[in-house]
Amino acid sequence: METSDKAESGAHNQVILFTTLFLFWIMLNGTLAADTLLIGALASLSIALLLPNGLSFFTELQDTPQALVAGVRYYGYFFKELVRSNIKLTAIVLTRDLPIQPGIVKVRTKLKSRMGRLMLANSITLTPGTLTVELDGEWLYVHWVTVESTDIDAATAKIVSGFERYLEVMYG
Amino acid sequence: MTMLLDIIGGLLLVAGTAFLLFGGLGLVRMPDVFNRIQAGTKATTLGTLLTLAGATCLQPAWGVKLLLIGLFLLFTNPLSSQVLARAAHRSGAGKSEKTSIDRLEEDQRKKP
């Protein structure tokens, strides 16, 4: 029973992966000519078949209107943080005595889905002063240029919570 | 209209390259591999995205392709940095003297 469930979700994943790749291909080529479509379909199909566990942007995405709203707000928040991150880093790099106090802290995530965790790890890497070093189940090890707190809960609140509240709705 | 787009595009290109420059400076100035990756990832992501946005303003016809390149970058850039950082940590890369704490190393020691 369980194995057939697993096989089914694998096939479902492959369909999503194929669709994403194929759409990407069409947009990249900007044409609907038959030969282009055929090559794209063949390539997408082989990749999807070779990677039954492959993740794509739409894998595990919830199909609720709330997820869509959360997605839009997530990107708004994300770009704000990305700009903030760059300004902060530029300020550090341009300061004569390099004011850093690096360290690797441990944080915990509530997210259960693989795609949700992947997006979280990516988001953390692109936000002010943090870089995901290792993922271990619900634990993330994060390198922090200026360690503000070594406590797990406090660090989680500072690093993870901002993104988690959107990703939770998007991917669960 | 084209004039305005040209100006905006030019400004975006300059801003993008400026961030790339600061990222490069960060690579040189930062003391250890993890801090260097931090400087590298963020600056290259925003720098390249701004450059792509600038190029879109100058050549609107390329917009869709440049947007796709941007998306691709947004997903792959942080991922490759994480893999690099993990590999560096696993192979015991040296850490700056300023490093105050390393929970990952502590946890790995606890495991048999």
Side-chain angles (χ1 to χ4, degrees):
Chain A
M1 184 64 202
E2 210 193 330
T3 47
S4 84
D5 269 2
K6 226 174 212 171
E8 207 165 85
S9 90
H12 184 65
N13 268 351
Q14 281 171 307
V15 172
I16 294 177
L17 184 59
F18 170 80
T19 316
T20 317
L21 290 170
F22 194 46
L23 279 178
F24 199 90
W25 171 263
I26 294 173
M27 283 165 74
L28 202 58
N29 279 285
T31 161
L32 290 172
D35 52 346
T36 316
L37 289 186
L38 185 70
I39 292 172
L42 282 177
S44 310
L45 190 68
S46 348
I47 295 173
L49 287 178
L50 286 171
L51 300 168
N53 287 317
L55 290 173
S56 89
F57 182 67
F58 300 106
T59 312
E60 293 167 335
L61 187 66
Q62 310 284 315
D63 50 2
T64 56
Q66 288 95 321
L68 197 70
V69 175
V72 172
R73 296 181 60 191
Y74 164 79
Y75 277 101
Y77 182 71
F78 173 81
F79 281 111
K80 200 187 86 198
E81 289 290 293
L82 181 61
V83 172
R84 221 160 62 83
S85 149
N86 272 273
I87 292 170
K88 190 178 165 187
L89 206 88
T90 304
I92 290 177
V93 167
L94 291 181
T95 308
R96 186 180 261 278
D97 58 353
L98 213 61
I100 59 171
Q101 204 210 343
I104 295 176
V105 296
K106 189 177 178 181
V107 294
R108 172 192 259 154
T109 174
K110 289 183 283 190
L111 301 174
K112 297 272 181 278
S113 65
R114 288 191 304 152
M115 194 56 199
R117 283 177 178 169
L118 174 67
M119 292 281 282
L120 180 69
N122 275 358
S123 310
I124 289 173
T125 297
L126 289 177
T127 49
T130 51
L131 166 76
T132 314
V133 176
E134 182 79 273
L135 249 169
D136 183 13
E138 60 174 350
W139 300 104
L140 283 104
Y141 296 89
V142 176
H143 182 267
W144 211 348
V145 168
T146 47
V147 174
E148 287 163 32
S149 171
T150 54
D151 176 63
I152 289 176
D153 291 326
T156 303
K158 278 212 166 93
I159 300 177
V160 177
S161 301
F163 289 109
E164 208 173 44
R165 60 172 184 233
Y166 302 119
L167 289 171
E168 208 174 11
V169 186
M170 290 166 71
Y171 294 102
Chain B
M1 188 60 198
T2 331
M3 177 80 178
L4 187 67
L5 269 184
D6 278 356
I7 294 172
I8 297 174
L11 288 177
L12 284 172
L13 281 176
V14 170
T17 36
F19 278 120
L20 288 172
L21 174 71
F22 294 134
L25 194 62
L27 277 185
V28 179
R29 290 209 65 199
M30 286 298 194
D32 65 8
V33 62
F34 301 103
N35 289 300
R36 287 195 167 128
I37 293 175
Q38 291 247 21
T41 322
K42 295 171 219 308
T44 51
T45 309
L46 187 65
T48 318
L49 285 181
L50 286 175
T51 313
L52 289 173
T56 311
C57 291
L58 296 178
Q59 289 286 347
W62 297 352
V64 178
K65 280 179 197 185
L66 294 175
L67 181 77
L68 288 178
I69 297 175
L71 267 180
F72 189 73
L73 241 140
L74 214 51
F75 277 88
T76 50
N77 220 347
L79 209 61
S80 53
S81 302
Q82 283 152 32
V83 177
L84 276 174
R86 180 163 72 176
H89 196 276
R90 282 187 183 173
S91 59
K95 279 172 294 207
S96 153
E97 289 163 9
K98 288 180 176 172
T99 306
S100 54
I101 185 168
D102 188 345
R103 292 263 191 231
L104 181 53
E105 198 182 310
E106 286 169 24
D107 282 5
Q108 278 168 347
R109 268 205 216 112
K110 274 183 225 156
K111 283 179 192 164

